[in-house]
Amino acid sequence: MRKHCALKHGIFKEFLAEFLGTFVLVLFGCGSVAQTVLSRNTLGEPLTVHIGFSVGLMMAVYVAGGVSGGHVNPAVSLAMVILGKLKIWKFPFYVIAQFLGAFVGAAAVFGLNYDAFMDFTSGILSVTGINATGHIFASYPARHLSVLGGFIDQVVGTGMLVLCILAIIDGGNIGAPKGVEPLAIGLIIMAIGVSMGLNCGYPLNPARDLGPRLFTAVAGWGMEVFSTAGHWWWIPVAGPMVGGVVGAVLYFLLIELHHPHDQDEKTHEVEEEEEEEEEDEDSSLKDKYEMIAMS
């Protein structure tokens, strides 16, 4: 019974961490796009958008990393499941938290800039046209991009994101100093943004794209957010999930598989010790609550 309560408490903490982390990512990331678009490029440009998403991801990992790992991305969570770094039963909880965080983050961006939206659009929220604002929240393809090209773009971009994340957190590789990992992960987004943003703006994250897209659908933009560009919406959802798996498998086969075996055992022992410490902490907290209740 006590162990069951500890497990529930643990997944609840991780759920909240993923929710808040994804909220932070979308607030800073989509917020930087909103400021650029709504000011008609007087208070922003592509570089400020890259910085917004890079710093947003960095802060998101700082917020959630110590509790849930700071995935804030279903593609990253799936990669961790594939590699055995995340229990599969936790995966649905992480994904739901990420989508909810992204949805609420989009709502916050809209609320903060509501007057600017109304002034920019004259009250007509649209996905296409000279005063389009749907792309503030979700990705849409460039005119030259085909469906296959967009899918490959997302597979490659997300694959590189996951592969680099795994390199940063890999104790058997050079890695990054403790506490600096979020900064290094944020720089991955900067690199992807300045090199792979031409086609569709590097969504790379099903929650970050679909969550805000759902918000725009119910907030006034309508179902056009799903039908535009030949029903483009599914590509930044499916592509990153495939890319996350590809990146994880490539890193494991080409790098992690070749680490010394004793390093793998050491890493496994550290993970087991952390899980035991977490369960002990939850049990201690439960005992304190029981003592307070008895008194």
Side-chain angles (χ1 to χ4, degrees):
M1 180 66 180
R2 181 176 296 174
K3 186 175 182 180
H4 179 67
C5 292
L7 284 174
K8 288 202 301 184
H9 182 253
I11 192 60
F12 182 65
K13 288 194 302 182
E14 293 170 33
F15 182 94
L16 292 179
E18 286 296 307
F19 170 85
L20 186 57
T22 313
F23 172 85
V24 169
L25 167 62
V26 171
L27 181 63
F28 286 146
C30 292
S32 66
V33 184
Q35 180 164 295
T36 300
V37 173
L38 299 177
S39 70
R40 300 189 186 276
N41 298 318
T42 60
L43 295 176
E45 58 179 321
L47 181 58
T48 62
V49 173
H50 300 328
I51 293 172
F53 275 107
S54 299
V55 176
L57 179 59
M58 179 178 71
M59 291 296 107
V61 178
Y62 271 121
V63 167
V67 180
S68 65
H71 299 174
V72 300
N73 184 339
V76 174
S77 296
L78 179 60
M80 296 304 174
V81 170
I82 295 295
L83 296 176
K85 300 178 186 294
L86 177 70
K87 293 181 175 63
I88 191 169
W89 66 267
K90 290 185 176 182
F91 179 69
F93 294 98
Y94 274 53
V95 172
I96 293 171
Q98 291 156 3
F99 273 97
L100 288 176
F103 185 95
V104 176
V109 171
F110 184 64
L112 285 170
N113 298 283
Y114 178 79
D115 292 336
F117 271 102
M118 294 301 103
D119 178 67
F120 183 88
T121 64
S122 299
I124 302 173
L125 303 175
S126 60
V127 177
T128 58
I130 190 171
N131 290 328
T133 49
H135 62 292
I136 289 174
F137 298 96
S139 69
Y140 295 90
R143 289 184 178 181
H144 67 265
L145 191 65
S146 66
V147 171
L148 179 60
F151 189 83
I152 293 174
D153 176 274
Q154 288 305 285
V155 170
V156 173
T158 311
M160 287 305 301
L161 172 64
V162 169
L163 187 148
C164 293
I165 288 174
L166 291 173
I168 290 168
I169 65 174
D170 185 0
N173 208 326
I174 295 176
K178 183 174 176 59
V180 182
E181 300 95 336
L183 172 60
I185 291 171
L187 290 175
I188 303 171
I189 292 297
M190 176 64 77
I192 292 174
V194 299
S195 62
M196 305 182 201
L198 173 64
N199 289 326
C200 57
Y202 61 100
L204 312 176
N205 184 336
R208 168 261 172 278
D209 195 84
L210 184 57
R213 194 183 300 273
L214 286 169
F215 170 77
T216 56
V218 301
W221 283 262
M223 297 307 291
E224 187 182 2
V225 301
F226 292 104
S227 61
T228 296
H231 297 84
W232 158 265
W233 70 271
W234 67 270
I235 293 176
V237 175
M241 298 303 281
V242 175
V245 173
V246 171
V249 171
L250 282 176
Y251 188 83
F252 177 77
L253 293 178
L254 301 181
I255 303 295
E256 191 171 338
L257 187 63
H258 305 287
H259 289 340
H261 184 64
D262 57 345
Q263 179 66 40
D264 294 338
E265 290 182 346
K266 183 178 179 181
T267 302
H268 182 65
E269 289 174 0
V270 170
E271 290 176 351
E272 287 184 342
E273 289 176 1
E274 289 177 351
E275 289 181 1
E276 290 176 0
E277 289 176 0
E278 183 178 339
E279 290 183 2
D280 291 342
E281 180 183 345
D282 291 334
S283 298
S284 176
L285 188 61
K286 176 72 174 178
D287 291 340
K288 289 180 181 178
Y289 286 152
E290 291 177 350
M291 292 175 63
I292 293 172
M294 291 175 63
S295 61

